[in-house]
DNA sequence: AAATCCGCCAACCGCAAGTGC
DNA sequence: TGCACTTGCGGTTGGCGGATT
């Protein structure tokens, strides 16, 4: 299944197109454990048949825990419109002002909704006041970008214009701390994000960046409940099976639970390898897709 | 119910910028 | 300084699914 243009160079043996849950799983677990210092080397070390670029894109645009999913709020839309008026198609700059939103997402939203919306609005304004140009307003009160931040951007733009030097780059907007307020709504969206692919795995040795994730509530999981059970079990770091009061269960559920326990036992044996994973060495990493690799084994069965 | 249309958005590409040697 | 390599950016594509005919 291929998307986009034909590949510019032969990438024999590399997967293309949509990511499978297994690939997501590998990427998430690898990055959570080792980070992503070198995207080019990452696919090999993680046992992924993808190019580094593809991995990076998948992580940044979809799997990264900081990403906020769901529709844009009115405020976010307003912000995008205002920033686009100031910056043009500088999607990454705009994204830096919208915590949790990616440049790709903003670009898509702009191209599919906002562009039309703005065009329509402009057409209306022109009808009303012919000859009068619209001035960017900074009086919107419920903006998701702070007034300070917007003023700074506007000042930068103004300086830029006054110096009459279009080649001069705009100073980095990321230097202005974005108004990130971590809350459960955002955190839950992380889970929503992964619901249709694979949840974050919480290995007992997970790095600090994933500790935040560990505090999240676990939502209902509709896909492959076995996977969810497995992850939940692993994340607890417990040797015990899930604590469910078997007395209140009906026989059918109990049978299912027993089945699951057997299954978990089997998995535990396979995933025992998680405990013995070494730091990546050379080009071959711990998740290299070799026979006996627990992830491959799981997804094959 | 089937066929067609159309919008959405994930993933691709080429190129530019950044970094290290 | 120049080169090679990696990462980041913005434009574009096309598969998928919902809406319409």
């Amino acid at each position: 299944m291929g998307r986009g243009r034909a590949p510019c160079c032969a990438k024999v043996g590399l997967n293309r197109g949509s990511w499978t849950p297994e690939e997501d799983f590998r990427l998430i677990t690898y990055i959570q454990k080792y980070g992503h210092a070198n995207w080019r080397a990452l696919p090999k070390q993680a046992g992924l048949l993808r190019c580094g670029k593809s991995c990076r894109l998948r992580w940044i645009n979809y799997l990264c825990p900081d990403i906020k999913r769901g529709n844009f709020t009115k405020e976010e839309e307003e912000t995008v419109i205002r920033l686009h008026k100031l910056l043009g198609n500088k999607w990454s700059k705009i994204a830096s002002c919208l915590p949790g939103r990616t440049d790709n997402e903003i670009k898509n939203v702009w191209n599919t909704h906002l562009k039309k919306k703005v065009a329509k609005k402009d057409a209306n304004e022109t009808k009303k006041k012919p000859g009068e140009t619209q001035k960017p307003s900074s009086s919107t009160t419920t903006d998701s970008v702070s007034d300070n931040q917007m003023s700074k951007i506007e000042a930068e733009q103004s300086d830029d214009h006054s110096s009459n030097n279009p080649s001069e780059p705009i100073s980095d907007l990321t230097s202005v701390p974005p108004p990130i307020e971590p809350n459960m709504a955002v955190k839950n969206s992380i889970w929503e994000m992964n619901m249709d692919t694979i949840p974050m795995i919480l290995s007992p040795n997970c790095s600090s960046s994933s500790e935040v994730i560990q505090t999240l509530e676990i939502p209902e999981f509709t896909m492959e409940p076995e996977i969810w059970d497995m992850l939940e079990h692993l994340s607890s770091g417990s040797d015990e099976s899930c604590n469910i009061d078997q007395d209140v269960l009906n026989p059918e559920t109990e049978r299912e639970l027993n089945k699951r326990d057997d299954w978990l036992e089997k998995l535990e044996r396979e995933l025992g390898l998680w405990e013995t994973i070494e730091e990546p060495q050379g080009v071959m990493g711990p998740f290299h897709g070799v026979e006996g690799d627990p992830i491959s084994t799981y997804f094959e069965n």
Side-chain angles (χ1 to χ4, degrees):
Chain A
M1 182 199 292
R3 286 174 190 264
R5 281 169 270 177
C8 58
C9 53
K11 288 171 183 164
V12 185
L14 293 187
N15 291 342
R16 292 169 49 79
S18 298
W19 280 65
T20 64
E22 181 188 353
E23 288 175 313
D24 283 342
F25 186 95
R26 285 180 182 279
L27 185 58
I28 290 166
T29 49
Y30 185 87
I31 290 177
Q32 285 208 335
K33 201 160 173 63
Y34 302 112
H36 47 75
N38 185 342
W39 285 112
R40 199 171 168 86
L42 188 147
K44 270 187 181 175
Q45 292 173 347
L48 282 160
L49 290 169
R50 294 268 177 179
C51 66
K53 207 169 180 177
S54 181
C55 293
R56 182 187 149 268
L57 222 63
R58 181 64 178 171
W59 176 256
I60 286 175
N61 286 332
Y62 202 78
L63 300 174
C64 177
D66 298 332
I67 293 173
K68 190 169 151 189
R69 308 297 294 184
N71 294 336
F72 274 49
T73 64
K74 202 104 189 115
E75 291 73 35
E76 284 175 319
E77 287 188 356
E78 287 294 323
T79 303
V80 172
I81 291 168
R82 287 176 63 195
L83 288 172
H84 187 270
K85 209 171 270 181
L86 287 165
L87 303 166
N89 294 0
K90 300 285 178 195
W91 306 119
S92 59
K93 296 272 184 195
I94 296 173
S96 70
C97 297
L98 287 164
R101 300 297 186 182
T102 68
D103 53 354
N104 204 37
E105 197 179 8
I106 292 169
K107 185 170 60 185
N108 282 333
V109 168
W110 173 264
N111 287 331
T112 54
H113 300 294
L114 302 182
K115 194 158 74 178
K116 292 170 199 165
K117 199 173 162 182
V118 169
K120 203 172 166 184
K121 198 178 164 188
D122 283 352
N124 285 343
E125 302 254 338
T126 318
K127 258 186 192 172
K128 277 186 199 166
K129 305 173 185 176
E132 203 173 299
T133 52
Q134 217 190 332
K135 199 187 166 197
S137 160
S138 57
S139 60
T140 314
T141 52
T142 54
D143 226 311
S144 60
V145 175
S146 69
D147 285 345
N148 273 351
Q149 204 172 350
M150 186 59 88
S151 314
K152 189 178 161 102
I153 295 163
E154 284 172 346
E156 278 167 355
Q157 289 300 297
S158 150
D159 287 350
D160 194 36
H161 291 145
S162 61
S163 66
N164 208 11
N165 185 3
S167 63
E168 194 72 30
I170 303 162
S171 69
D172 191 3
L173 297 176
T174 54
S175 59
V176 183
I180 300 173
E181 289 173 25
N183 55 41
M184 277 320 287
V186 174
K187 286 178 180 176
N188 282 335
S189 73
I190 296 165
W191 288 108
E192 283 167 26
M193 168 188 81
N194 291 303
M195 293 298 270
D196 56 348
T197 54
I198 205 80
M200 292 289 176
I201 185 165
L202 308 171
S203 108
N205 326 314
C206 54
S207 63
S208 59
S209 64
S210 60
E211 279 166 10
V212 181
I213 309 298
Q214 278 185 293
T215 67
L216 302 186
E217 283 176 22
I218 296 167
E220 290 296 315
F221 188 63
T222 51
M223 189 204 82
E224 303 263 14
E226 304 94 297
I227 299 175
W228 190 240
D229 286 338
M230 172 187 90
L231 297 168
E232 203 177 342
H233 188 65
L234 284 171
S235 69
S236 70
S238 155
D239 291 337
E240 300 287 322
S241 289
C242 303
N243 291 329
I244 296 172
D245 186 356
Q246 307 243 346
D247 291 335
V248 299
L249 300 173
N250 64 43
E252 199 184 333
T253 313
E254 199 173 333
R255 268 199 304 278
E256 286 302 309
L257 273 172
N258 287 335
K259 230 166 83 182
R260 190 189 65 174
D261 283 345
D262 291 345
W263 187 88
L264 271 172
E265 214 177 296
K266 186 183 156 211
L267 249 176
E268 261 188 301
R269 279 197 298 274
E270 287 176 6
L271 291 169
L273 283 172
W274 282 103
E275 306 298 330
T276 59
I277 286 166
E278 300 293 336
E279 293 298 319
Q281 286 171 357
V283 293
M284 302 293 254
F287 305 131
H288 187 71
V290 295
E291 213 175 321
D293 167 358
I295 301 175
S296 299
T297 309
Y298 170 72
F299 281 96
E300 276 161 15
N301 295 337

